[in-house]
């Protein structure tokens, strides 16, 4: 890093920013195969928290690639950089006292660990969408699995590129057997148990 770049300390602390919002900041990191339900469940949780008066923000993989990461492709190096950028943005939202949700395949354990290490202990909540590949492929909401099977898309996670299953995710949700409401209730219960929300 350039020696001329110096960290500037803000007068308002992250704790004060969270306190004025009457909440504790955290990042719920939804990871899993395409079609596993990451965006659907993250959106439903975002809505449930917003309706309860919490200050939240949701970052979704496709949306971010329209702006912040539109210069990146899907090579392994670009995927790593994609997650690094997202992690830094999530950290900024967390520093602002927000409850953040992110929905990204994020197939590599090292990338998820990098983001976990950006945040204070206990603020990174890994939510593994443990939905079977067969279910994800059957849904195929964007037609990506079909293209991957035909060889049109190369290095597609779950087909010809690996997905590293989280060893110790805080939560596991399988949308092949759990409804959206059931997933949201489980997530809310976890946040209550941890004292990250109050109601």
């Amino acid at each position: 890093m350039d020696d001329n770049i110096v960290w500037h300390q803000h007068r308002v602390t992250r704790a004060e920013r969270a306190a004025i919002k009457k909440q504790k900041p955290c990042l719920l990191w939804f990871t899993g195969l395409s079609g596993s339900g990451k965006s659907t469940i993250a959106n439903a949780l975002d809505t449930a928290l917003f309706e309860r008066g919490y200050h939240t923000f949701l970052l979704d993989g496709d949306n971010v690639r329209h702006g912040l990461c539109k210069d990146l492709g899907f090579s392994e190096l670009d995927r790593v950089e994609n997650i690094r950028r997202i992690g830094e943005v999530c950290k900024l939202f967390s520093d602002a006292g927000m409850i953040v949700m992110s929905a990204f395949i994020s197939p590599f354990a090292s990338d998820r660990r990098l983001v976990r290490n950006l945040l204070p202990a206990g603020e990174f909540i890994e939510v593994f969408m443990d939905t079977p590949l067969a279910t994800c492929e059957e849904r195929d909401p964007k037609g990506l699995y079909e293209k991957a099977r035909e060889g049109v898309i190369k290095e597609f996670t779950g087909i010809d590129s690996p997905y590293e299953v989280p060893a110790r995710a805080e939560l596991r949700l399988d949308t092949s057997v759990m409804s959206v409401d059931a997933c949201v209730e489980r997530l809310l219960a976890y946040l209550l148990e941890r004292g990250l929300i109050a109601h």
Side-chain angles (χ1 to χ4, degrees):
M1 182 178 289
D2 192 316
D3 290 339
N4 295 318
I5 300 174
V6 180
W7 188 265
H8 181 76
Q9 288 294 343
H10 297 169
R11 287 185 182 176
V12 181
T13 67
R14 73 191 309 275
E16 290 169 331
R17 293 181 191 281
I20 201 169
K21 295 178 178 67
K22 297 179 174 59
Q23 63 186 42
K24 294 182 180 177
C26 63
L27 166 59
L28 293 110
W29 188 272
F30 290 82
T31 176
L33 297 172
S34 178
S36 61
K38 298 180 300 299
S39 295
T40 299
I41 303 304
N43 263 292
L45 177 63
D46 187 33
T47 301
L49 289 170
F50 180 79
E51 288 173 348
R52 286 163 173 77
Y54 289 100
H55 298 259
T56 64
F57 198 78
L58 169 60
L59 291 158
D60 183 82
D62 282 354
N63 293 359
V64 169
R65 280 190 174 270
H66 277 93
L68 180 67
C69 297
K70 69 179 178 181
D71 60 319
L72 299 176
F74 289 91
S75 69
E76 186 170 331
L77 282 176
D78 279 357
R79 288 174 133 197
V80 169
E81 175 60 11
N82 183 54
I83 297 303
R84 188 197 69 78
R85 290 184 194 180
I86 299 313
E88 292 290 349
V89 171
C90 289
K91 181 181 183 300
L92 292 172
F93 275 110
S94 176
D95 286 347
M98 306 284 279
I99 296 173
V100 190
M101 282 138 284
S102 73
F104 295 84
I105 293 172
S106 50
F108 306 120
S110 58
D111 295 344
R112 300 190 301 264
R113 187 166 51 251
L114 181 148
V115 179
R116 184 185 290 271
N117 291 337
L118 288 173
L119 298 168
E123 285 191 17
F124 181 92
I125 302 161
E126 191 171 37
V127 183
F128 173 38
M129 302 306 296
D130 194 8
T131 305
L133 172 60
T135 302
C136 296
E137 195 164 355
E138 185 179 285
R139 290 173 179 164
D140 204 9
K142 302 171 190 172
L144 300 178
Y145 284 101
E146 184 179 357
K147 290 178 182 175
R149 292 288 186 193
E150 292 171 351
V152 177
I153 298 176
K154 303 291 186 188
E155 298 297 308
F156 188 76
T157 303
I159 303 301
D160 56 354
S161 184
Y163 177 83
E164 298 174 0
V165 172
R168 291 181 296 276
E170 279 75 10
L171 286 159
R172 285 176 174 257
L173 303 173
D174 178 355
T175 58
S176 71
V177 294
M178 297 175 73
S179 68
V180 172
D181 288 346
C183 290
V184 170
E185 287 306 314
R186 179 68 193 95
L187 288 158
L188 290 173
Y190 179 85
L191 294 173
L192 280 165
E193 289 163 15
R194 288 278 313 280
L196 293 167
I197 61 173
H199 57 79

